[in-house]
Amino acid sequence: ATGCGGEYPNSLWTQVGVLVCRQYTIDMRDFGYKFTWFFNGFVLALNASTYLLVAQPPLNAQPAPVYRDAFAASQICNLPASADSALFADAITCGETLVNVTSVEYASKGFLFLVINALFINEAVHVPSVMFDKRFFAREHGARAYSSLAWHLTWLIKLALTAAIKLILYTPCFYFLGQLRLDFTAYAAAAFATGGMSFAGSAVALLLAAVIPSLGAASTAFGCAVLLYQNVCGFFLPISAIPPYLIWLAWSSVFTYGYHAIMNSQQLGSAMTGGGSSIEERQVFTFNVLLFVWGLLFHGVAFLATRALHSKHACDLGRDGPLALASAEEGEEALKEDAAAMRWALIKNVALPDRKHDRWAQMLADVYRNEPPTEKIGRLRNLYLYLNLTAARERDTKKQQKSWIHG
């Protein structure tokens, strides 16, 4: 391919429309793609079920709100100091309440972390999808069928619509089964965090697939990104414990925004506890907005990388393109052979046509000299041998010359 100029045959939006239709057709005919939608929802429901089994053992199972509100509703731990004989028993009850609340709180944080973790990891399926589509893109973009911008806008539309659908379908899979707060504001915040994690995860997959040419290397890089995001998001290691020179890793991790958004969303509203939270709603929704901003940033970097790596196009040779190309190739081969023949003559330092003509003329003149017949017969025999030897030498010379040219 060469960097030939020219415009695309169709407008940008025509290119995007055709590519979107093709993506939709491919996905609808792919059973594996449709199965992953069901399976990902099942994984989220499984996380919620596991949380219930950990936080509420079957032998003494109680609704999660009972544990969540036990400490807030009880005044046992706030008793004034006195010599009351019942104080020791009250302290035991207070300790049991604290243990229950602490255990359930930690299990709840772990459950919400598993939710955002599953939402992000599920987008790893887009790494091979983009890799497969890049093969078509390299060929069709090189033939000037559509631009890099059209291809990336198609993927942006697809992944944004996918995130919007997951926002609607996946949130109920874990929210109600996990007995999270039944409040519209809290549910809306968790739903936007679900869509934001899906959009950011798919954008990271697109970026890695666009920059890295190998499928294995891109998949490994996605796994490394997951591990890095997990460790600095604030669940395993508090953000305050991260060294100042590495704090930028925490705030460049999409897990940080998704985890804090979905965790703090459970402190919004007042439908179950009768009291609100100190966390402002705008802070939670700011985290959600930043998830989508990071996703758009990843899309932009992926577009720039694709444009830099696929900046050349094939030349349009017109209606007689194949014939013109064949003629050009033949002309180039002839020039190569002529140049090689000239080099061969210079190296051997011979001029074969001139030497053959001089030797032939001399021997023919000797035959016509006025000499006895026996002498003429001898000279004719020498001429015959010379012609045969010359023909054999020319054949050998052509073979050597041909091997020189092709070598």
Side-chain angles (χ1 to χ4, degrees), residues 16 19 23 44 84 86 113 148 161 163 178 193 222 234 279 289 356 366-367 398-399:
V16 173
L19 291 175
Q23 287 281 359
L44 292 173
D84 194 335
F113 172 79
S148 301
L161 290 177
F222 188 88
I279 303 297
V289 170
K356 286 192 302 180
D366 291 341
V367 171
K398 287 182 178 179
K399 288 181 180 179

Side-chain angles (χ1 to χ4, degrees), residues 289-314:
V289 170
L290 289 175
L291 279 175
F292 289 94
V293 171
W294 273 107
L296 291 174
L297 179 62
F298 292 144
H299 275 277
V301 176
F303 164 67
L304 295 178
T306 302
R307 187 172 182 179
L309 296 175
H310 300 84
S311 59
K312 295 183 178 180
H313 299 278

Side-chain angles (χ1 to χ4, degrees), residues 113 116-117 224-243 245-260:
F113 172 79
I116 66 160
N117 187 60
C224 293
V226 171
L227 292 176
L228 177 63
Y229 287 165
Q230 287 176 344
N231 289 322
V232 298
C233 72
F235 176 71
F236 295 111
L237 181 68
I239 295 180
S240 58
I242 299 177
Y245 56 87
L246 294 177
I247 197 66
W248 61 272
L249 288 174
W251 297 114
S252 62
S253 167
V254 294
F255 272 57
T256 301
Y257 303 99
Y259 172 66
H260 286 88

